[in-house]
Amino acid sequence: MSRLRGTLLSFALALVVTQASADVAVGRASSATIRERVLRLVNHARAGSRRCGHERFAATTPLAASVLLDRAAQEHAFDMARYEYFEHTGLDGSVPKERLARLGYRSRLTGENIAYAPQSAEEVVSGWLASPGHCANIMEPRFREMGIAFAVGRKRGAIYWVQDLAEPRR
Protein backbone atom coordinates (compact mmCIF):
# COMPACT_ATOMS: atom_id res chain seq x y z
CA MET A 1 0.00 0.00 0.00
CA SER A 2 2.79 2.45 0.83
CA ARG A 3 4.46 1.71 -2.52
CA LEU A 4 1.17 2.50 -4.33
CA ARG A 5 0.78 5.69 -2.31
CA GLY A 6 4.36 6.70 -3.22
CA THR A 7 3.70 6.00 -6.90
CA LEU A 8 0.47 8.04 -6.84
CA LEU A 9 2.23 10.91 -5.05
CA SER A 10 5.04 10.88 -7.63
CA PHE A 11 2.48 10.87 -10.44
CA ALA A 12 0.57 13.79 -8.88
CA LEU A 13 3.78 15.78 -8.46
CA ALA A 14 4.74 15.07 -12.08
CA LEU A 15 1.36 16.40 -13.22
CA VAL A 16 1.81 19.60 -11.19
CA VAL A 17 5.34 20.15 -12.53
CA THR A 18 4.21 19.44 -16.10
CA GLN A 19 1.30 21.89 -15.75
CA ALA A 20 3.51 24.62 -14.29
CA SER A 21 6.10 24.26 -17.04
CA ALA A 22 3.34 24.29 -19.66
CA ASP A 23 2.41 27.89 -18.74
CA VAL A 24 3.21 30.38 -21.46
CA ALA A 25 5.17 32.91 -19.42
CA VAL A 26 6.45 36.39 -20.16
CA GLY A 27 10.21 36.21 -20.70
CA ARG A 28 10.10 32.55 -21.72
CA ALA A 29 7.86 32.78 -24.79
CA SER A 30 7.51 35.18 -27.68
CA SER A 31 4.82 37.86 -27.68
CA ALA A 32 3.11 36.05 -30.57
CA THR A 33 3.04 32.77 -28.63
CA ILE A 34 1.60 34.54 -25.58
CA ARG A 35 -1.08 36.29 -27.68
CA GLU A 36 -2.05 32.96 -29.31
CA ARG A 37 -2.25 31.26 -25.90
CA VAL A 38 -4.44 34.00 -24.40
CA LEU A 39 -6.78 33.80 -27.40
CA ARG A 40 -7.01 30.00 -27.04
CA LEU A 41 -7.72 30.25 -23.30
CA VAL A 42 -10.35 32.95 -23.81
CA ASN A 43 -12.06 30.98 -26.58
CA HIS A 44 -11.98 27.86 -24.41
CA ALA A 45 -13.76 29.83 -21.67
CA ARG A 46 -16.33 31.16 -24.18
CA ALA A 47 -17.02 27.62 -25.43
CA GLY A 48 -18.81 26.72 -22.20
CA SER A 49 -21.45 28.38 -20.07
CA ARG A 50 -20.10 30.37 -17.15
CA ARG A 51 -21.20 32.40 -14.17
CA CYS A 52 -19.49 35.78 -13.83
CA GLY A 53 -20.45 36.98 -10.37
CA HIS A 54 -24.25 36.90 -10.30
CA GLU A 55 -24.62 36.92 -14.09
CA ARG A 56 -24.91 33.73 -16.15
CA PHE A 57 -23.55 33.49 -19.67
CA ALA A 58 -24.31 30.81 -22.21
CA ALA A 59 -21.54 29.39 -24.38
CA THR A 60 -20.81 31.71 -27.27
CA THR A 61 -18.81 31.99 -30.47
CA PRO A 62 -15.01 32.17 -30.47
CA LEU A 63 -13.23 35.48 -30.88
CA ALA A 64 -10.98 36.20 -33.84
CA ALA A 65 -7.59 37.84 -33.42
CA SER A 66 -7.37 41.42 -34.68
CA VAL A 67 -4.11 43.10 -35.62
CA LEU A 68 -5.61 46.55 -34.99
CA LEU A 69 -6.91 45.53 -31.56
CA ASP A 70 -3.46 44.03 -30.77
CA ARG A 71 -1.88 47.34 -31.75
CA ALA A 72 -4.26 49.41 -29.62
CA ALA A 73 -3.68 47.09 -26.67
CA GLN A 74 0.09 47.26 -27.19
CA GLU A 75 0.15 51.04 -27.32
CA HIS A 76 -1.88 51.31 -24.10
CA ALA A 77 0.19 48.64 -22.31
CA PHE A 78 3.44 50.41 -23.30
CA ASP A 79 2.03 53.75 -22.15
CA MET A 80 1.05 52.36 -18.75
CA ALA A 81 4.45 50.66 -18.33
CA ARG A 82 6.43 53.73 -19.40
CA TYR A 83 4.54 56.18 -17.19
CA GLU A 84 3.78 53.70 -14.37
CA TYR A 85 0.01 54.05 -14.13
CA PHE A 86 -2.77 51.48 -14.27
CA GLU A 87 -6.03 52.80 -15.72
CA HIS A 88 -8.41 52.27 -18.62
CA THR A 89 -8.15 55.98 -19.38
CA GLY A 90 -4.87 56.94 -21.05
CA LEU A 91 -2.79 59.86 -19.84
CA ASP A 92 -4.08 61.78 -22.87
CA GLY A 93 -7.65 61.22 -21.62
CA SER A 94 -8.45 58.58 -24.25
CA VAL A 95 -10.74 55.63 -23.58
CA PRO A 96 -10.54 52.28 -25.39
CA LYS A 97 -13.06 53.14 -28.13
CA GLU A 98 -11.16 56.35 -28.96
CA ARG A 99 -7.81 54.54 -29.09
CA LEU A 100 -9.33 52.03 -31.55
CA ALA A 101 -10.82 54.81 -33.69
CA ARG A 102 -7.40 56.52 -33.91
CA LEU A 103 -6.11 53.36 -35.58
CA GLY A 104 -9.01 53.27 -38.04
CA TYR A 105 -10.98 50.54 -36.25
CA ARG A 106 -14.70 51.25 -36.33
CA SER A 107 -16.48 49.49 -33.49
CA ARG A 108 -20.10 49.04 -32.59
CA LEU A 109 -19.20 47.83 -29.06
CA THR A 110 -15.87 48.00 -27.22
CA GLY A 111 -14.57 46.50 -23.98
CA GLU A 112 -11.22 46.36 -22.26
CA ASN A 113 -9.65 44.27 -19.54
CA ILE A 114 -6.38 45.28 -17.92
CA ALA A 115 -4.20 43.47 -15.41
CA TYR A 116 -1.01 44.22 -13.52
CA ALA A 117 1.63 41.64 -12.60
CA PRO A 118 0.44 38.24 -13.94
CA GLN A 119 3.48 36.36 -15.20
CA SER A 120 1.80 34.13 -17.79
CA ALA A 121 -1.07 33.84 -20.22
CA GLU A 122 -2.71 31.32 -17.91
CA GLU A 123 -2.41 33.55 -14.86
CA VAL A 124 -3.85 36.64 -16.57
CA VAL A 125 -6.85 34.80 -18.07
CA SER A 126 -7.52 32.96 -14.80
CA GLY A 127 -7.52 36.28 -12.94
CA TRP A 128 -9.90 37.88 -15.42
CA LEU A 129 -12.27 34.91 -15.27
CA ALA A 130 -12.30 35.10 -11.45
CA SER A 131 -13.36 38.77 -11.58
CA PRO A 132 -17.08 39.29 -12.38
CA GLY A 133 -16.63 42.39 -14.57
CA HIS A 134 -13.62 41.08 -16.48
CA CYS A 135 -15.31 37.71 -16.92
CA ALA A 136 -18.45 39.40 -18.27
CA ASN A 137 -16.32 41.20 -20.87
CA ILE A 138 -14.77 37.90 -21.97
CA MET A 139 -18.15 36.17 -22.16
CA GLU A 140 -20.04 39.03 -23.88
CA PRO A 141 -21.55 37.31 -26.95
CA ARG A 142 -21.60 40.48 -29.07
CA PHE A 143 -17.81 40.74 -29.07
CA ARG A 144 -16.29 39.20 -32.21
CA GLU A 145 -12.63 40.23 -32.11
CA MET A 146 -9.87 40.47 -29.55
CA GLY A 147 -6.46 42.08 -29.21
CA ILE A 148 -4.00 41.31 -26.44
CA ALA A 149 -0.69 42.79 -25.40
CA PHE A 150 1.60 43.20 -22.44
CA ALA A 151 4.49 45.48 -21.57
CA VAL A 152 7.14 45.01 -18.94
CA GLY A 153 7.72 47.98 -16.66
CA ARG A 154 10.91 49.07 -14.94
CA LYS A 155 10.06 47.53 -11.56
CA ARG A 156 10.51 43.81 -11.02
CA GLY A 157 7.26 41.94 -11.74
CA ALA A 158 5.65 45.01 -13.33
CA ILE A 159 3.83 43.48 -16.29
CA TYR A 160 0.95 45.49 -17.70
CA TRP A 161 -1.65 43.52 -19.68
CA VAL A 162 -4.33 44.94 -21.96
CA GLN A 163 -7.10 42.95 -23.66
CA ASP A 164 -9.25 44.88 -26.12
CA LEU A 165 -12.55 43.35 -27.22
CA ALA A 166 -14.85 44.68 -29.91
CA GLU A 167 -17.75 44.15 -32.21
CA PRO A 168 -16.69 45.75 -35.51
CA ARG A 169 -18.97 47.95 -37.56
CA ARG A 170 -19.36 46.39 -40.98
Side-chain angles (χ1 to χ4, degrees):
M1 183 64 156
S2 103
R3 184 175 178 174
L4 177 61
R5 191 174 325 166
T7 302
L8 290 175
L9 180 59
S10 295
F11 180 69
L13 286 173
L15 283 176
V16 169
V17 169
T18 301
Q19 178 59 43
S21 66
D23 283 0
V24 178
V26 173
R28 291 197 315 241
S30 70
S31 294
T33 299
I34 292 169
R35 280 193 311 273
E36 290 167 12
R37 181 67 176 150
V38 169
L39 181 62
R40 266 196 316 263
L41 292 167
V42 165
N43 282 335
H44 179 75
R46 287 171 63 92
S49 62
R50 180 173 300 275
R51 181 178 292 280
C52 300
H54 298 293
E55 196 172 357
R56 280 213 73 42
F57 289 88
T60 190
T61 58
L63 297 170
S66 165
V67 173
L68 283 178
L69 293 180
D70 280 346
R71 188 166 152 209
Q74 190 68 72
E75 288 177 6
H76 189 52
F78 279 157
D79 196 58
M80 288 192 297
R82 181 175 182 193
Y83 296 106
E84 297 180 335
Y85 72 97
F86 183 67
E87 298 288 334
H88 291 285
T89 303
L91 290 182
D92 62 357
S94 65
V95 295
K97 187 169 186 150
E98 294 166 340
R99 291 192 291 272
L100 293 177
R102 268 190 247 164
L103 296 174
Y105 189 98
R106 293 176 16 128
S107 64
R108 190 179 308 277
L109 179 68
T110 305
E112 183 178 78
N113 287 336
I114 60 176
Y116 177 81
Q119 302 295 304
S120 69
E122 291 75 11
E123 188 179 352
V124 75
V125 173
S126 175
W128 284 332
L129 291 173
S131 163
H134 295 97
C135 178
N137 271 347
I138 287 172
M139 295 302 294
E140 171 55 60
R142 293 173 293 173
F143 289 140
R144 295 288 178 246
E145 296 181 339
M146 183 189 96
I148 185 75
F150 64 90
V152 179
R154 290 185 287 271
K155 295 178 185 170
R156 183 177 183 172
I159 302 173
Y160 296 82
W161 295 82
V162 178
Q163 177 190 43
D164 283 329
L165 304 146
E167 176 189 12
R169 242 182 244 278
R170 300 287 180 201

